[in-house]
Structure formats: structure tokens, C-alpha cells
């Protein structure tokens, strides 16, 4: 049997609800199924926070591309990694509350004539 089947078959301690999330947390069976290892996720979070602090926030659509490049580096030449699923980025954001999604304000079009024109000419 695989790890997930064994985790579902074992008895739970008293007071723990019999849900998939509780069983996965208790047996750590979900960690083996994660797309990135916890260390790789931590490195990705640090990179995203660094980019945000430098004034270049990363779009949520770009995060799976970064994760895929990390996963390709850890793979052996004989195995092919698939890109993360379509909901992986939102789940990643929920797992790491220090990452906050924000909407960017559009740039004011009046700024050109006030600030840039004199510097160019």
C-alpha cells in the first residue's frame, strides 16, 4: 500500500476530526506530495519578498513559472517535471501568509509632462 492509504487506515487520537486535512497534517503524508520541498518554498518566499521590497512585485501568474524552474533544477535528466497545477499559486499564497496579493495602481498619465519632459529636452 502507498503512504496515503496507510494514513487513511490508521486510527486517530481522540479529539482529532476525521478529515483529510487533519490526517495529512498528523501523518505528514501531504509533504511528500508537495510540488516544492519546504526549503525550496522558503527560498521562493524569500525571493518574492526581496523583489517586493526592491519595488518590483511579482505577478501571481509568474510564481508557477519560478516554481517550475526550481523543480527542473532538482530533477534528474531522465525524469520530466510537469509544471504546477492551475490552482497551485493560490494555494502557495494561502500557505505563506507573509505574502500578500495587492492590486497595483495604474500610473498617472499626467506625470509625463510634469516630470519627464524637462529631463529629456
Amino acid at each position: 500500500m502507498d503512504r496515503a492509504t496507510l494514513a487513511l487506515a490508521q486510527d486517530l487520537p481522540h479529539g482529532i476530526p476525521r478529515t483529510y486535512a487533519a490526517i495529512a497534517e498528523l501523518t505528514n503524508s501531504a509533504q511528500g506530495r508537495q510540488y516544492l520541498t519546504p526549503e525550496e518554498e522558503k527560498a521562493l518566499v524569500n525571493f518574492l519578498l526581496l523583489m517586493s521590497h526592491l519595488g518590483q512585485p511579482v505577478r501571481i501568474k509568474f510564481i508557477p513559472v519560478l516554481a517550475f524552474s526550481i523543480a527542473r533544477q532538482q530533477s534528474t535528466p531522465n525524469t520530466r517535471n510537469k509544471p504546477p497545477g492551475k490552482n497551485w499559486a493560490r494555494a502557495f499564497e494561502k500557505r505563506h501568509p507573509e505574502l500578500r496579493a495587492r492590486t497595483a495602481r495604474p500610473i498617472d498619465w499626467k506625470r509625463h509632462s510634469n516630470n519627464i519632459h524637462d529631463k529629456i529636452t
Side-chain angles (χ1 to χ4, degrees):
M1 280 197 233
D2 61 337
R3 279 177 69 187
T5 307
L6 291 173
L8 290 172
Q10 72 177 343
D11 292 331
L12 294 176
H14 184 70
I16 295 179
R18 190 157 185 82
T19 61
Y20 289 118
I23 294 171
E25 186 177 329
L26 184 67
T27 59
N28 290 331
S29 62
Q31 251 184 358
R33 298 199 50 177
Q34 279 188 339
Y35 190 74
L36 297 175
T37 63
E39 294 83 19
E40 292 168 339
E41 281 199 3
K42 186 176 179 182
L44 182 58
V45 167
N46 289 339
F47 174 75
L48 294 172
L49 290 174
L50 175 68
M51 291 299 290
S52 178
H53 289 304
L54 292 175
Q56 297 292 326
V58 179
R59 295 184 67 186
I60 192 103
K61 289 182 177 183
F62 189 60
I63 295 174
V65 176
L66 291 171
F68 184 54
S69 67
I70 291 171
R72 280 189 314 179
Q73 291 176 2
Q74 73 172 350
S75 66
T76 60
N78 297 335
T79 62
R80 283 190 190 165
N81 280 344
K82 296 179 183 175
K86 65 178 184 174
N87 296 326
W88 182 85
R90 287 290 177 197
F92 178 77
E93 182 186 3
K94 287 181 182 176
R95 277 195 306 273
H96 300 282
E98 62 269 21
L99 301 176
R100 285 186 322 202
R102 292 180 290 205
T103 56
R105 288 184 288 148
I107 298 173
D108 186 18
W109 285 101
K110 297 176 186 174
R111 71 179 166 82
H112 179 69
S113 59
N114 294 343
N115 301 323
I116 299 174
H117 186 69
D118 293 334
K119 294 177 184 176
I120 295 173
T121 57

